[in-house]
Amino acid sequence: MKLLQKTGLFIAAALMVVACGPGNNTVETGDAQEVAAGSGMTLAVDASSSKINWTGYKPAGKHWGFIPLTEGEVMVEGESLTGARFVFDITGLKIEDMEESNEFYGKLWGHLQSADFFDAENHPQAVFELTSVEPFSAGSIQDKEEFVTEYTPAKDSELSSNPTHWISGNLTMRGVTKNIKFPATVSIANGSVAAKAGFNIDRTAWGLAYGDESNAVDKAKDQFIYNTVSVQFDIQAN
């Protein structure tokens, strides 16, 4: 259980959310917004080649894995993205830094599905719906300052590779909907859409505060888990 408590939250918020406001981090979080109506052609997301990767950190180490995308669609008109909806399977979350045969794998996976984290019994899915798209502004990524240790979370600017757009959308998780904004590289050509993004999220935005680093009395004692989780996604729609 001690290992579970220390490592569990590495995965807990590996979805697209952050609690920091503008100027502190790449991703912005706010109240839910009106979902884009979408127009033009509807393309189905290729679930077999689309996934969400995560990396979680604590001062003494890190863990990583992915959350599968089970269904989704993207709407395009000409070369413009006009709408999108993605569904993620929380119960399908995978931990990739240890073998499933490892006794701690099952314990960690079970804890993540529990009410301490995703509460998957009541909320087995997370949903992202596009609200707006705008051109990316060069130089607008600002890195959040982190408590420095051997495993300090990666910077936002290190995760984002040549973004072309700012993507805004409502993310619903654990019955709570928030609007988030993050940089992405989007290309539309020959009847297909490819989107990639990398950024940091704050796991506490949806109440996933178990082991919240802000509650650590003495961070030098290594008794906390970073609230920051790095997320990278690769979406393909045809």
Side-chain angles (χ1 to χ4, degrees):
M1 181 58 68
K2 184 176 180 180
L3 174 63
L4 206 55
Q5 292 174 342
K6 287 187 175 182
T7 61
L9 280 188
F10 288 172
I11 312 165
L15 289 172
M16 294 173 286
V17 211
V18 79
C20 298
N24 291 326
N25 211 316
T26 299
V27 182
E28 300 174 16
T29 297
D31 295 333
Q33 303 294 320
E34 183 177 355
V35 175
S39 61
M41 180 168 46
T42 298
L43 307 177
V45 170
D46 184 354
S48 65
S49 61
S50 302
K51 65 193 303 188
I52 306 298
N53 297 295
W54 55 263
T55 303
Y57 311 83
K58 74 182 302 290
K62 61 182 179 179
H63 288 271
W64 59 92
F66 70 90
I67 299 174
L69 186 152
T70 56
E71 61 179 280
E73 59 184 17
V74 175
M75 283 72 82
V76 297
E77 188 164 11
E79 296 184 355
S80 298
L81 180 64
T82 63
R85 183 177 187 273
F86 308 129
V87 178
F88 308 97
D89 180 15
I90 299 300
T91 66
L93 180 149
K94 296 293 184 181
I95 307 163
E96 295 186 296
D97 61 277
M98 66 176 78
E99 297 291 336
E100 290 194 34
S101 58
N102 187 314
E103 64 175 306
F104 293 111
Y105 188 104
K107 293 178 180 178
L108 178 56
W109 186 90
H111 197 195
L112 290 168
Q113 303 298 309
S114 75
D116 281 347
F117 299 102
F118 287 110
D119 191 15
E121 181 177 359
N122 296 308
H123 306 285
Q125 295 179 330
V127 179
F128 177 82
E129 297 177 286
L130 184 75
T131 57
S132 67
V133 181
E134 58 186 281
F136 180 79
S137 301
S140 57
I141 292 180
Q142 299 185 46
D143 293 315
K144 175 187 174 183
E145 293 186 9
E146 301 276 6
F147 182 74
V148 179
T149 66
E150 183 178 356
Y151 290 96
T152 302
K155 296 180 179 179
D156 286 292
S157 56
E158 297 171 341
L159 297 169
S160 184
S161 178
N162 300 317
T164 59
H165 297 78
W166 284 107
I167 301 294
S168 296
N170 293 336
L171 176 69
T172 300
M173 181 171 65
R174 285 191 60 136
V176 177
T177 301
K178 299 273 189 177
N179 189 266
I180 60 172
K181 181 179 180 180
F182 55 90
T185 302
V186 181
S187 62
I188 303 172
N190 301 320
S192 67
V193 175
K196 294 184 179 182
F199 52 89
N200 286 324
I201 63 174
D202 185 330
R203 61 184 174 83
T204 65
W206 273 259
L208 298 167
Y210 183 84
D212 186 348
E213 70 172 281
S214 66
N215 295 331
V217 177
D218 186 353
K219 289 187 176 181
K221 293 181 179 179
D222 188 21
Q223 299 301 311
F224 75 94
I225 299 169
Y226 282 102
N227 291 346
T228 295
V229 177
S230 297
V231 174
Q232 291 180 297
F233 74 76
D234 191 341
I235 303 295
Q236 183 71 40
N238 303 301

